């Protein structure tokens, strides 16, 4: 169900009466909060609420047992809410341009996460994340990184990494441990050196 760009102030209650709904797109509206009744969508797998004015998430998110993909880009959340960390089956989390200053240590409870998009925030680092061995894609473009967070080179299953638009000048010597890496985007960084083992493929902000 796609109700994007409809100037909605709230999620219509009737939507939560569709228990077999699998995908819900609420992008580009004026929604301030997600309703408690959202947990009625027991089969919801994909929820996108990008570019609204949401500043908090309800505890009922943990009731969305089927949820696999969540996009909250462009909302003034300011942090990764604790309620989100209870969505244990989540595989894709996108929180670009959400005013994030830190990624909490507790993010590691999302052991099924395969893709983390936190570009366009104010991050200066990442917590220890090597326990998240399902991670394949990490997008960190346009943050405040001075160096590549050490935990990244311990994500041995990583296939795509974007750190464009930061202040990272070189990659660590052990970067070559990422033998499964297929795409590294660093355009916008003033790089001194890149390990020869890595193919650098530019192409705009990620």
């Amino acid at each position: 169900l796609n109700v994007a760009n409809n100037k909605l102030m709230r999620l219509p209650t009737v939507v939560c009466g569709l228990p077999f709904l699998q995908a819900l797109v609420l992008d580009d509206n004026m929604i301030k909060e997600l309703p408690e009744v959202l947990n009625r969508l027991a089969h919801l797998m994909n929820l996108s609420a990008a570019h609204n004015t949401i500043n908090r998430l309800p505890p009922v998110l943990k009731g969305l047992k089927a949820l696999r993909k969540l996009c909250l880009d462009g909302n003034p959340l300011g942090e990764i809410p604790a309620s989100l960390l209870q969505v244990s089956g989540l595989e894709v989390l996108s929180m670009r341009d959400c005013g994030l200053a830190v990624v909490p240590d507790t993010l590691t409870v999302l052991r099924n996460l395969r893709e983390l998009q936190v570009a366009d925030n104010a991050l200066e680092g990442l917590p220890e994340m090597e326990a998240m061995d399902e991670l394949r894609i990490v997008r960190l473009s346009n943050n405040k990184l001075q160096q590549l967070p050490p935990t990244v080179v311990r994500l041995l299953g990583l296939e795509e990494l974007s750190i464009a638009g930061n202040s990272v000048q070189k990659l660590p010597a052990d970067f070559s441990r990422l033998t499964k890496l297929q795409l590294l985007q660093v355009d916008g960084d003033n790089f001194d050196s890149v390990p020869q083992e890595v193919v650098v493929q530019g192409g705009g902000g990620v």
Side-chain angles (χ1 to χ4, degrees):
L1 177 63
N2 190 333
V3 291
N5 198 24
N6 274 290
K7 299 182 179 180
L8 297 175
M9 301 290 290
R10 62 182 63 85
L11 177 65
T13 306
V14 66
V15 172
C16 295
L18 303 172
F20 295 101
L21 192 68
Q22 294 188 10
L24 177 59
V25 180
L26 304 169
D27 300 351
D28 300 300
N29 283 292
M30 296 180 286
I31 297 171
K32 293 184 177 181
E33 61 181 2
L34 297 175
E36 299 287 333
V37 291
L38 191 68
N39 66 350
R40 296 178 184 173
L41 301 179
H43 294 269
L44 192 66
M45 299 181 67
N46 184 348
L47 174 60
S48 184
H51 307 295
N52 282 278
T53 57
I54 299 167
N55 57 22
R56 73 177 189 91
L57 294 181
V60 296
L61 274 185
K62 65 182 180 181
L64 299 178
K65 303 295 186 183
L67 194 64
R68 297 294 179 265
K69 183 176 181 179
L70 177 61
C71 178
L72 296 167
D73 295 351
N75 284 288
L77 285 158
E79 64 179 3
I80 296 179
S83 58
L84 188 153
L85 301 176
Q86 298 181 55
V87 188
S88 59
L90 204 61
E91 296 178 358
V92 178
L93 173 60
S94 186
M95 293 187 66
R96 300 174 54 152
D97 189 24
C98 286
L100 304 180
V102 297
V103 172
D105 296 343
T106 47
L107 185 73
T108 56
V109 302
L110 298 179
R111 298 296 295 272
N112 294 309
L113 201 66
R114 297 181 58 85
E115 182 173 338
L116 177 63
Q117 298 206 32
V118 285
D120 305 309
N121 284 293
L123 300 175
E124 296 182 1
L126 291 175
E128 294 298 324
M129 297 168 58
E130 56 264 36
M132 303 177 72
D133 51 17
E134 295 296 324
L135 263 180
R136 298 294 181 265
I137 300 173
V138 175
R139 305 200 189 281
L140 296 165
S141 302
N142 303 316
N143 277 285
K144 295 184 176 181
L145 300 176
Q146 300 292 320
Q147 63 180 7
L148 185 71
T151 191
V152 171
V153 297
R154 294 192 285 273
L155 296 172
L156 301 182
L158 205 60
E159 297 175 357
E160 295 184 19
L161 173 65
S162 175
I163 51 174
N166 285 284
S167 298
V168 180
Q169 294 186 352
K170 63 181 180 180
L171 297 175
D174 58 349
F175 190 82
S176 58
R177 295 177 62 191
L178 299 179
T179 57
K180 296 184 179 180
L181 196 68
Q182 300 174 20
L183 174 63
L184 170 64
Q185 293 190 311
V186 296
D187 37 318
D189 294 288
N190 182 25
F191 262 75
D192 292 334
S193 62
V194 176
Q196 291 184 350
E197 296 88 343
V198 180
V199 177
V200 181
Q201 182 174 346
V206 175

